[in-house]
Short mmCIF file of all heavy atoms in Angstrom, two decimals:
data_model
loop_
_atom_site.label_atom_id
_atom_site.label_comp_id
_atom_site.label_asym_id
_atom_site.label_seq_id
_atom_site.Cartn_x
_atom_site.Cartn_y
_atom_site.Cartn_z
N GLN A 1 17.26 -17.47 -13.67
CA GLN A 1 17.49 -16.01 -13.60
C GLN A 1 16.33 -15.25 -14.21
O GLN A 1 15.71 -15.70 -15.20
CB GLN A 1 18.79 -15.65 -14.29
CG GLN A 1 20.03 -16.25 -13.63
CD GLN A 1 20.22 -15.75 -12.22
OE1 GLN A 1 20.16 -14.57 -11.96
NE2 GLN A 1 20.44 -16.67 -11.30
N TYR A 2 16.10 -14.07 -13.68
CA TYR A 2 15.07 -13.17 -14.21
C TYR A 2 15.71 -11.84 -14.45
O TYR A 2 16.58 -11.40 -13.70
CB TYR A 2 13.95 -12.99 -13.20
CG TYR A 2 13.12 -14.24 -12.99
CD1 TYR A 2 13.52 -15.20 -12.10
CD2 TYR A 2 11.94 -14.41 -13.68
CE1 TYR A 2 12.78 -16.34 -11.88
CE2 TYR A 2 11.16 -15.56 -13.48
CZ TYR A 2 11.60 -16.51 -12.58
OH TYR A 2 10.84 -17.64 -12.38
N VAL A 3 15.31 -11.17 -15.53
CA VAL A 3 15.81 -9.85 -15.89
C VAL A 3 14.63 -8.92 -16.07
O VAL A 3 13.65 -9.27 -16.75
CB VAL A 3 16.66 -9.91 -17.18
CG1 VAL A 3 17.12 -8.53 -17.60
CG2 VAL A 3 17.84 -10.85 -17.01
N TYR A 4 14.71 -7.76 -15.47
CA TYR A 4 13.70 -6.73 -15.62
C TYR A 4 13.69 -6.26 -17.07
O TYR A 4 14.71 -5.82 -17.60
CB TYR A 4 14.04 -5.55 -14.68
CG TYR A 4 13.09 -4.37 -14.71
CD1 TYR A 4 11.85 -4.44 -14.16
CD2 TYR A 4 13.51 -3.17 -15.26
CE1 TYR A 4 11.02 -3.35 -14.14
CE2 TYR A 4 12.67 -2.06 -15.27
CZ TYR A 4 11.44 -2.16 -14.67
OH TYR A 4 10.60 -1.07 -14.68
N SER A 5 12.54 -6.42 -17.76
CA SER A 5 12.56 -6.13 -19.22
C SER A 5 11.22 -5.63 -19.78
O SER A 5 10.77 -6.12 -20.81
CB SER A 5 12.96 -7.40 -19.98
OG SER A 5 12.00 -8.42 -19.73
N PRO A 6 10.58 -4.68 -19.11
CA PRO A 6 9.31 -4.18 -19.66
C PRO A 6 9.59 -3.36 -20.93
O PRO A 6 10.71 -2.84 -21.12
CB PRO A 6 8.74 -3.30 -18.57
CG PRO A 6 9.95 -2.86 -17.79
CD PRO A 6 10.92 -4.00 -17.87
N ASP A 7 8.55 -3.24 -21.79
CA ASP A 7 8.70 -2.38 -22.94
C ASP A 7 8.71 -0.94 -22.49
O ASP A 7 8.49 -0.64 -21.29
CB ASP A 7 7.62 -2.64 -23.98
CG ASP A 7 6.21 -2.40 -23.45
OD1 ASP A 7 6.03 -1.55 -22.57
OD2 ASP A 7 5.28 -3.05 -23.97
N ALA A 8 8.98 0.00 -23.39
CA ALA A 8 9.12 1.41 -22.99
C ALA A 8 7.86 2.00 -22.37
O ALA A 8 7.94 2.73 -21.37
CB ALA A 8 9.51 2.24 -24.23
N GLU A 9 6.72 1.63 -22.89
CA GLU A 9 5.44 2.14 -22.33
C GLU A 9 5.24 1.60 -20.93
O GLU A 9 4.88 2.36 -20.00
CB GLU A 9 4.26 1.77 -23.24
CG GLU A 9 2.96 2.32 -22.80
CD GLU A 9 1.83 1.97 -23.75
OE1 GLU A 9 2.09 1.61 -24.91
OE2 GLU A 9 0.66 2.03 -23.30
N SER A 10 5.44 0.32 -20.74
CA SER A 10 5.28 -0.27 -19.40
C SER A 10 6.31 0.27 -18.44
O SER A 10 6.03 0.53 -17.25
CB SER A 10 5.39 -1.78 -19.47
OG SER A 10 4.35 -2.35 -20.25
N ARG A 11 7.54 0.50 -18.93
CA ARG A 11 8.59 1.04 -18.07
C ARG A 11 8.20 2.43 -17.54
O ARG A 11 8.40 2.72 -16.36
CB ARG A 11 9.90 1.13 -18.85
CG ARG A 11 11.12 1.49 -18.03
CD ARG A 11 12.37 1.46 -18.88
NE ARG A 11 12.60 0.16 -19.48
CZ ARG A 11 13.41 -0.76 -18.97
NH1 ARG A 11 14.04 -0.51 -17.85
NH2 ARG A 11 13.58 -1.92 -19.55
N ALA A 12 7.59 3.24 -18.37
CA ALA A 12 7.15 4.57 -17.94
C ALA A 12 6.06 4.47 -16.89
O ALA A 12 6.07 5.20 -15.88
CB ALA A 12 6.62 5.38 -19.14
N VAL A 13 5.15 3.52 -17.06
CA VAL A 13 4.07 3.36 -16.06
C VAL A 13 4.66 2.83 -14.75
O VAL A 13 4.28 3.25 -13.66
CB VAL A 13 2.98 2.40 -16.60
CG1 VAL A 13 1.96 2.03 -15.52
CG2 VAL A 13 2.27 3.03 -17.79
N ILE A 14 5.59 1.92 -14.84
CA ILE A 14 6.24 1.36 -13.64
C ILE A 14 7.03 2.45 -12.92
O ILE A 14 7.04 2.52 -11.69
CB ILE A 14 7.11 0.14 -13.98
CG1 ILE A 14 6.23 -0.99 -14.51
CG2 ILE A 14 7.96 -0.30 -12.80
CD1 ILE A 14 7.00 -2.14 -15.17
N ASP A 15 7.66 3.33 -13.68
CA ASP A 15 8.35 4.46 -13.07
C ASP A 15 7.38 5.36 -12.31
O ASP A 15 7.67 5.83 -11.18
CB ASP A 15 9.09 5.30 -14.12
CG ASP A 15 10.29 4.56 -14.71
OD1 ASP A 15 10.74 3.54 -14.12
OD2 ASP A 15 10.78 5.03 -15.74
N GLU A 16 6.19 5.58 -12.84
CA GLU A 16 5.16 6.34 -12.18
C GLU A 16 4.68 5.61 -10.90
O GLU A 16 4.45 6.24 -9.86
CB GLU A 16 3.98 6.65 -13.10
CG GLU A 16 4.29 7.65 -14.18
CD GLU A 16 3.11 7.90 -15.07
OE1 GLU A 16 1.96 7.92 -14.58
OE2 GLU A 16 3.32 8.12 -16.28
N LEU A 17 4.55 4.31 -11.04
CA LEU A 17 4.14 3.50 -9.87
C LEU A 17 5.20 3.65 -8.76
O LEU A 17 4.81 3.81 -7.58
CB LEU A 17 4.03 2.02 -10.28
CG LEU A 17 3.74 1.02 -9.18
CD1 LEU A 17 2.35 1.25 -8.60
CD2 LEU A 17 3.89 -0.40 -9.73
N ALA A 18 6.44 3.61 -9.10
CA ALA A 18 7.52 3.76 -8.13
C ALA A 18 7.47 5.12 -7.47
O ALA A 18 7.64 5.24 -6.23
CB ALA A 18 8.90 3.54 -8.78
N THR A 19 7.18 6.15 -8.23
CA THR A 19 7.06 7.50 -7.68
C THR A 19 5.90 7.57 -6.69
O THR A 19 6.03 8.11 -5.58
CB THR A 19 6.86 8.54 -8.80
OG1 THR A 19 7.99 8.49 -9.67
CG2 THR A 19 6.68 9.92 -8.24
N LEU A 20 4.77 6.98 -7.05
CA LEU A 20 3.61 6.96 -6.18
C LEU A 20 3.92 6.13 -4.91
O LEU A 20 3.55 6.52 -3.80
CB LEU A 20 2.40 6.38 -6.89
CG LEU A 20 1.11 6.32 -6.10
CD1 LEU A 20 0.67 7.71 -5.66
CD2 LEU A 20 0.01 5.68 -6.97
N TYR A 21 4.58 5.01 -5.10
CA TYR A 21 4.93 4.16 -3.97
C TYR A 21 5.84 4.90 -2.98
O TYR A 21 5.67 4.78 -1.76
CB TYR A 21 5.66 2.89 -4.46
CG TYR A 21 5.97 1.88 -3.41
CD1 TYR A 21 4.97 1.00 -2.95
CD2 TYR A 21 7.23 1.81 -2.83
CE1 TYR A 21 5.26 0.05 -1.99
CE2 TYR A 21 7.53 0.87 -1.86
CZ TYR A 21 6.55 0.02 -1.43
OH TYR A 21 6.82 -0.92 -0.46
N ASP A 22 6.75 5.73 -3.49
CA ASP A 22 7.66 6.49 -2.65
C ASP A 22 7.00 7.71 -2.01
O ASP A 22 7.30 8.04 -0.85
CB ASP A 22 8.88 6.96 -3.44
CG ASP A 22 9.81 5.83 -3.81
OD1 ASP A 22 9.77 4.77 -3.18
OD2 ASP A 22 10.56 5.99 -4.80
N SER A 23 6.09 8.35 -2.72
CA SER A 23 5.48 9.59 -2.22
C SER A 23 4.19 9.38 -1.46
O SER A 23 3.88 10.11 -0.54
CB SER A 23 5.27 10.57 -3.36
OG SER A 23 4.33 10.07 -4.28
N LYS A 24 3.37 8.40 -1.85
CA LYS A 24 2.08 8.17 -1.23
C LYS A 24 1.77 6.68 -1.10
O LYS A 24 0.84 6.17 -1.69
CB LYS A 24 0.98 8.85 -2.06
CG LYS A 24 1.12 10.36 -2.16
CD LYS A 24 0.00 10.97 -2.95
CE LYS A 24 0.23 12.49 -2.99
NZ LYS A 24 -0.86 13.14 -3.64
N PRO A 25 2.58 5.98 -0.28
CA PRO A 25 2.41 4.55 -0.18
C PRO A 25 1.02 4.12 0.36
O PRO A 25 0.47 3.13 -0.08
CB PRO A 25 3.53 4.12 0.76
CG PRO A 25 3.92 5.35 1.50
CD PRO A 25 3.64 6.52 0.57
N VAL A 26 0.49 4.86 1.30
CA VAL A 26 -0.83 4.51 1.87
C VAL A 26 -1.92 4.61 0.81
O VAL A 26 -2.78 3.76 0.69
CB VAL A 26 -1.16 5.38 3.09
CG1 VAL A 26 -2.57 5.12 3.59
CG2 VAL A 26 -0.15 5.14 4.23
N THR A 27 -1.86 5.65 -0.01
CA THR A 27 -2.81 5.82 -1.09
C THR A 27 -2.74 4.69 -2.07
O THR A 27 -3.75 4.15 -2.52
CB THR A 27 -2.57 7.16 -1.81
OG1 THR A 27 -2.68 8.23 -0.86
CG2 THR A 27 -3.56 7.38 -2.93
N LEU A 28 -1.53 4.28 -2.41
CA LEU A 28 -1.31 3.15 -3.33
C LEU A 28 -1.89 1.85 -2.76
O LEU A 28 -2.62 1.13 -3.41
CB LEU A 28 0.15 2.99 -3.68
CG LEU A 28 0.47 1.83 -4.58
CD1 LEU A 28 -0.18 1.97 -5.93
CD2 LEU A 28 1.99 1.66 -4.73
N VAL A 29 -1.57 1.57 -1.52
CA VAL A 29 -2.04 0.35 -0.87
C VAL A 29 -3.57 0.32 -0.84
O VAL A 29 -4.21 -0.65 -1.15
CB VAL A 29 -1.47 0.19 0.55
CG1 VAL A 29 -2.13 -0.93 1.29
CG2 VAL A 29 0.03 -0.03 0.47
N ARG A 30 -4.19 1.46 -0.47
CA ARG A 30 -5.64 1.53 -0.46
C ARG A 30 -6.24 1.29 -1.82
O ARG A 30 -7.23 0.60 -2.00
CB ARG A 30 -6.10 2.90 0.05
CG ARG A 30 -6.04 3.01 1.54
CD ARG A 30 -6.65 4.33 1.99
NE ARG A 30 -6.53 4.47 3.42
CZ ARG A 30 -6.48 5.61 4.07
NH1 ARG A 30 -6.52 6.76 3.39
NH2 ARG A 30 -6.37 5.64 5.37
N ALA A 31 -5.64 1.90 -2.85
CA ALA A 31 -6.14 1.76 -4.20
C ALA A 31 -6.08 0.29 -4.64
O ALA A 31 -7.00 -0.21 -5.31
CB ALA A 31 -5.35 2.63 -5.15
N ILE A 32 -5.04 -0.37 -4.24
CA ILE A 32 -4.89 -1.79 -4.66
C ILE A 32 -5.87 -2.68 -3.91
O ILE A 32 -6.57 -3.51 -4.52
CB ILE A 32 -3.44 -2.26 -4.41
CG1 ILE A 32 -2.52 -1.60 -5.43
CG2 ILE A 32 -3.34 -3.79 -4.50
CD1 ILE A 32 -1.06 -1.79 -5.20
N TYR A 33 -6.00 -2.49 -2.61
CA TYR A 33 -6.84 -3.37 -1.83
C TYR A 33 -8.32 -3.03 -1.87
O TYR A 33 -9.16 -3.86 -1.59
CB TYR A 33 -6.37 -3.44 -0.38
CG TYR A 33 -5.14 -4.28 -0.26
CD1 TYR A 33 -3.91 -3.72 0.05
CD2 TYR A 33 -5.20 -5.65 -0.47
CE1 TYR A 33 -2.76 -4.49 0.15
CE2 TYR A 33 -4.04 -6.44 -0.36
CZ TYR A 33 -2.84 -5.86 -0.07
OH TYR A 33 -1.71 -6.63 0.04
N GLU A 34 -8.64 -1.81 -2.27
CA GLU A 34 -10.07 -1.40 -2.35
C GLU A 34 -10.64 -1.58 -3.74
O GLU A 34 -11.82 -1.35 -3.93
CB GLU A 34 -10.22 0.04 -1.89
CG GLU A 34 -9.99 0.20 -0.39
CD GLU A 34 -10.07 1.64 0.07
OE1 GLU A 34 -10.24 2.56 -0.76
OE2 GLU A 34 -9.90 1.86 1.29
N ARG A 35 -9.86 -1.99 -4.69
CA ARG A 35 -10.39 -2.19 -6.05
C ARG A 35 -11.34 -3.38 -6.05
O ARG A 35 -11.19 -4.32 -5.25
CB ARG A 35 -9.28 -2.41 -7.05
CG ARG A 35 -8.54 -3.71 -6.91
CD ARG A 35 -7.44 -3.83 -7.93
NE ARG A 35 -6.57 -4.94 -7.65
CZ ARG A 35 -6.85 -6.21 -7.92
NH1 ARG A 35 -7.96 -6.52 -8.53
NH2 ARG A 35 -6.02 -7.18 -7.59
N PRO A 36 -12.32 -3.35 -6.89
CA PRO A 36 -13.27 -4.47 -6.94
C PRO A 36 -12.58 -5.77 -7.31
O PRO A 36 -11.73 -5.80 -8.20
CB PRO A 36 -14.27 -4.05 -8.04
CG PRO A 36 -14.02 -2.63 -8.33
CD PRO A 36 -12.63 -2.30 -7.84
N VAL A 37 -12.98 -6.83 -6.64
CA VAL A 37 -12.40 -8.15 -6.95
C VAL A 37 -12.90 -8.59 -8.31
O VAL A 37 -12.14 -9.13 -9.11
CB VAL A 37 -12.77 -9.17 -5.85
CG1 VAL A 37 -12.29 -10.55 -6.24
CG2 VAL A 37 -12.19 -8.71 -4.54
N ASN A 38 -14.15 -8.36 -8.57
CA ASN A 38 -14.77 -8.75 -9.84
C ASN A 38 -15.42 -7.49 -10.44
O ASN A 38 -16.52 -7.17 -10.04
CB ASN A 38 -15.80 -9.86 -9.61
CG ASN A 38 -16.38 -10.33 -10.91
OD1 ASN A 38 -16.39 -9.66 -11.93
ND2 ASN A 38 -16.94 -11.54 -10.87
N PRO A 39 -14.74 -6.83 -11.38
CA PRO A 39 -15.31 -5.61 -11.93
C PRO A 39 -16.70 -5.76 -12.52
O PRO A 39 -17.54 -4.89 -12.39
CB PRO A 39 -14.29 -5.20 -13.01
CG PRO A 39 -13.06 -5.90 -12.62
CD PRO A 39 -13.46 -7.15 -11.93
N ALA A 40 -16.97 -6.90 -13.19
CA ALA A 40 -18.31 -7.11 -13.77
C ALA A 40 -19.38 -7.17 -12.69
O ALA A 40 -20.46 -6.58 -12.84
CB ALA A 40 -18.30 -8.39 -14.60
N GLN A 41 -19.06 -7.84 -11.58
CA GLN A 41 -20.02 -7.92 -10.49
C GLN A 41 -20.23 -6.56 -9.87
O GLN A 41 -21.36 -6.17 -9.52
CB GLN A 41 -19.55 -8.93 -9.41
CG GLN A 41 -20.55 -9.13 -8.29
CD GLN A 41 -21.86 -9.70 -8.78
OE1 GLN A 41 -21.88 -10.69 -9.49
NE2 GLN A 41 -22.98 -9.09 -8.41
N SER A 42 -19.17 -5.79 -9.70
CA SER A 42 -19.29 -4.45 -9.12
C SER A 42 -20.16 -3.56 -10.01
O SER A 42 -20.96 -2.78 -9.53
CB SER A 42 -17.91 -3.81 -8.93
OG SER A 42 -17.18 -4.53 -7.99
N PHE A 43 -19.97 -3.69 -11.31
CA PHE A 43 -20.79 -2.93 -12.26
C PHE A 43 -22.26 -3.32 -12.11
O PHE A 43 -23.15 -2.48 -12.06
CB PHE A 43 -20.28 -3.16 -13.70
CG PHE A 43 -21.06 -2.39 -14.71
CD1 PHE A 43 -20.89 -1.04 -14.88
CD2 PHE A 43 -21.96 -3.06 -15.56
CE1 PHE A 43 -21.57 -0.32 -15.81
CE2 PHE A 43 -22.67 -2.35 -16.50
CZ PHE A 43 -22.48 -0.98 -16.66
N ALA A 44 -22.53 -4.62 -12.08
CA ALA A 44 -23.91 -5.11 -11.94
C ALA A 44 -24.51 -4.67 -10.62
O ALA A 44 -25.67 -4.26 -10.57
CB ALA A 44 -23.93 -6.64 -12.06
#
């Protein structure tokens, strides 16, 4: 069994994620898939 149990700070961020997912799903998907795979390489 698994229980949803983030701390208060994480819960607030997840709540914002849910709001974004409901209001702008395409923007969220793009942000996730367009992020650099390797941030250090992207910086270089």
Side-chain angles (χ1 to χ4, degrees):
Q1 296 298 312
Y2 292 84
V3 176
Y4 179 73
S5 62
D7 60 29
E9 184 177 340
S10 295
R11 188 177 300 264
V13 171
I14 295 166
D15 290 346
E16 288 181 36
L17 175 67
T19 299
L20 182 60
Y21 185 81
D22 290 338
S23 65
K24 298 182 180 184
V26 173
T27 302
L28 177 63
V29 170
R30 281 186 183 152
I32 290 171
Y33 285 110
E34 291 176 358
R35 69 181 168 80
V37 175
N38 183 338
Q41 184 63 50
S42 295
F43 181 74

